[in-house]
Amino acid sequence: MHADYVIVGAGSAGCALAYRLAEAGRRVTVIEHGGSDAGPFIQMPGALSYPMNMGIYDWGFQTEPEPHLNGRVLATPRGKVIGGSSSINGMVYVRGHARDYDTWAEMGADGWGYADVLPYFKRMEHSHGGSGPEYRGTEGPLHITRGPRSNPLFDAFIKAGEQAGYPVTTDYNGAQQEGFGPMEATIWKGRRWSAANAYLKPAMAGGNVQVVRGLARRVVFEGKRAVGVEIGRGDLVQVIRAGREVILAASSINTPKLLMLSGVGPGAHLAEHGIPVLADRAGVGANLQDHLEIYMQFAASQPVTLFKYWNLWGKATVGAQWLFTGTGLGASNQFEACAFIRSAAGIDYPDIQYHFLPIAVRYDGKAVAEGHGFQAHVGPMRSKSRGAVTLRSANPADAPRIKFNYMSHPDDWAEFRTCVRLTREIFGQEAFKPFVRHEIQPGAAVETDDQIDAFLRAHVESAYHPCGTARIGRASDPMAVVDAECRVIGVDGLRVADSSVFPQVTNGNLNAPSIMVGEKAADHILGRTPLPASNLEPWVNPDWRVAQR
């Protein structure tokens, strides 16, 4: 098989990349280990807890025992299906804060500041209900919508934030991220609008993109130039050749693994596994970051939550309505209200995120024992802890070792304690008086720093936002893996375009910035002049130096 470009991974960035390269007339082969995204478990937004817990759609990765979390092993879901993690995620759409990208530029990602990336966010978006065309795109392939907020708890959450003295924002993806407001989602006409639906399927219909199923085993080099990808399909091993370039978009877990299996990575580590070193890059697999969160859960004093549907008959009713009409509770991910706030005076942009949910339930779909309840997912945005993805063996079929070193920095503990206390204050506002019976988790008795820390060690969960394992930087930076045009430093004909390249995790969920990376990388690969930089400025709280809100 022959193509101009071979992309490994049909995920958020890979689908966008394939679409833009094909649009320019290039022939593209996309290698994907997973299969079809057909069926209600993926396409029905309300069924989001199912696909990320199904082995047919998820790689099933787990961390090594995390030393600062009582040795717990945490799940690290990654999509193994067309659409990648955009087909199994919570569908929440968050660009990140403008300052995230300016920080990237300061860290050596030249040309990736807010002014540079905003035009790509606009190009990819078809925003329904956003703040308008100045900050938002209205003609892109990625539909972004807002839920109806018909449950009174959503507006109670936004009102409680306002009563606590926080700003309200009408569009956290526009000029002002900071504040409480409606949450946006990649949902369109009642369906999950994954990168497969938005980008890959239209690109395949155009005839320039083909998807090949198989496990990518390694990048094939001639000298130091990438010329193809070796894949395994059952007992068959074959090479998919690339006429121009190979692009890895296999996730922040599988991309560094594939680089290392191909001889690009920390030399000593590769030698341990008998892999010849092609380019000694210490940053491959390093700089691993994520968001952690806790579920602050409250028992409801009124039966207004989704718990009434949390039974076989209720789920069947919701599912049938969605299946036959594309409407109802099944047409929403139920993340319809959110907030981004600052934890203290002197912090210039938000460092805490909230997702509000009108049921007390876990990501694995298990409801709490107390019946009617609701919860806020809350966590700090910019942890200083760093981990690594390393090889378990030289066998491509073996999962890599994933160790985040969660909560290894003392600031993480202080930031999480602040999250707990600020959240209690929000749910103590007048807007929640008609709805809150009592706190379920952590529970009112958990008050002191030591008590909160013990709760965190036992209950903190990943928000599933791993990134940073092949970061953008200058060639002179020994920890950089790709340059500002996503070219892997030290070899030719090979690029990376997925969340691996993030120098630092962005504020919020990672699907939107991952797609943006695919969009922007496409222009670099095609040799085009990047889209003209924007001169728009983000809103920053004028009192940030002296006030927390």
Side-chain angles (χ1 to χ4, degrees), residues 169-213:
T169 178
T170 57
D171 185 2
Y172 63 83
N173 283 314
Q176 180 181 334
Q177 188 192 61
E178 185 173 339
F180 283 66
M183 188 158 246
E184 298 198 319
T186 48
I187 297 171
W188 177 235
K189 294 185 176 177
R191 292 174 63 212
R192 175 191 290 272
W193 202 245
S194 65
N197 286 333
Y199 287 100
L200 186 64
K201 291 171 187 177
M204 292 173 70
N208 280 343
V209 175
Q210 63 172 339
V211 175
V212 174
R213 286 197 65 182

Side-chain angles (χ1 to χ4, degrees), residues 90-126:
M91 291 155 281
V92 170
Y93 183 84
V94 183
R95 285 175 169 181
H97 195 280
R99 291 286 170 91
D100 291 328
Y101 301 103
D102 292 340
T103 301
W104 285 14
E106 290 164 10
M107 294 173 75
D110 299 321
W112 290 81
Y114 180 62
D116 307 300
V117 303
L118 178 57
Y120 288 96
F121 279 117
K122 291 177 67 175
R123 183 170 83 177
M124 73 197 219
E125 288 181 347
H126 191 138

Side-chain angles (χ1 to χ4, degrees), residues 21-38:
L21 295 177
E23 184 182 56
R26 307 298 192 268
R27 289 175 301 160
V28 181
T29 296
V30 181
I31 298 166
E32 172 55 52
H33 191 39
S36 169
D37 64 345

Side-chain angles (χ1 to χ4, degrees), residues 418-476:
T418 299
C419 287
V420 171
R421 290 171 174 139
L422 291 176
T423 304
R424 284 173 167 161
E425 182 192 5
I426 291 161
F427 282 94
Q429 297 299 313
E430 197 65 33
F432 270 114
K433 288 281 166 60
F435 303 115
V436 172
R437 193 162 83 239
H438 62 260
E439 182 180 313
I440 300 171
Q441 180 177 287
V446 178
E447 286 188 339
T448 68
D449 286 0
D450 287 347
Q451 288 170 331
I452 293 172
D453 289 354
F455 170 81
L456 293 171
R457 268 190 290 275
H459 293 282
V460 77
E461 298 281 353
S462 171
Y464 310 140
H465 301 159
C467 62
T469 49
R471 73 172 176 82
I472 299 175
R474 300 183 183 105
S476 58

Side-chain angles (χ1 to χ4, degrees), residues 314-528:
K315 290 180 180 180
T317 303
V318 169
Q321 183 182 9
W322 179 83
L323 209 54
F324 292 113
T325 70
T327 64
L329 291 171
S332 170
N333 59 359
Q334 301 305 324
F335 290 118
E336 297 182 14
C338 67
F340 295 87
I341 65 172
R342 294 175 297 110
S343 62
I347 294 171
D348 59 344
Y349 69 105
D351 60 341
I352 293 174
Q353 180 185 14
Y354 287 98
H355 302 67
F356 179 79
L357 195 61
I359 186 171
V361 69
R362 297 172 53 84
Y363 259 133
D364 60 10
K366 293 176 182 170
V368 299
E370 295 201 30
H372 280 283
F374 44 87
Q375 68 193 33
H377 300 199
V378 59
M381 288 291 95
R382 293 188 287 283
S383 168
K384 298 181 180 70
S385 297
R386 295 292 181 272
V389 173
T390 53
L391 292 177
R392 192 174 301 276
S393 76
N395 183 352
D398 287 347
R401 294 187 189 276
I402 304 166
K403 187 174 180 182
F404 285 93
N405 280 321
Y406 288 128
M407 305 296 284
S408 57
H409 196 284
D411 288 358
D412 295 341
W413 297 92
E415 289 167 3
F416 254 114
R417 290 180 212 127
T418 299
C419 287
V420 171
R421 290 171 174 139
L422 291 176
T423 304
R424 284 173 167 161
E425 182 192 5
I426 291 161
F427 282 94
Q429 297 299 313
E430 197 65 33
F432 270 114
K433 288 281 166 60
F435 303 115
V436 172
R437 193 162 83 239
H438 62 260
E439 182 180 313
I440 300 171
Q441 180 177 287
V446 178
E447 286 188 339
T448 68
D449 286 0
D450 287 347
Q451 288 170 331
I452 293 172
D453 289 354
F455 170 81
L456 293 171
R457 268 190 290 275
H459 293 282
V460 77
E461 298 281 353
S462 171
Y464 310 140
H465 301 159
C467 62
T469 49
R471 73 172 176 82
I472 299 175
R474 300 183 183 105
S476 58
D477 180 349
M479 296 304 290
V481 177
V482 300
D483 67 12
E485 296 193 6
C486 298
R487 296 174 294 210
V488 176
I489 299 165
V491 296
D492 297 316
L494 181 62
R495 303 201 200 215
V496 173
D498 60 20
S499 65
S500 306
V501 306
F502 296 10
Q504 179 175 284
V505 67
T506 53
N507 248 22
N509 312 61
L510 299 194
N511 186 39
S514 299
I515 293 172
M516 179 277 292
V517 166
E519 285 269 7
K520 191 170 187 295
D523 278 2
H524 294 308
I525 291 165
L526 292 166
R528 291 176 171 168

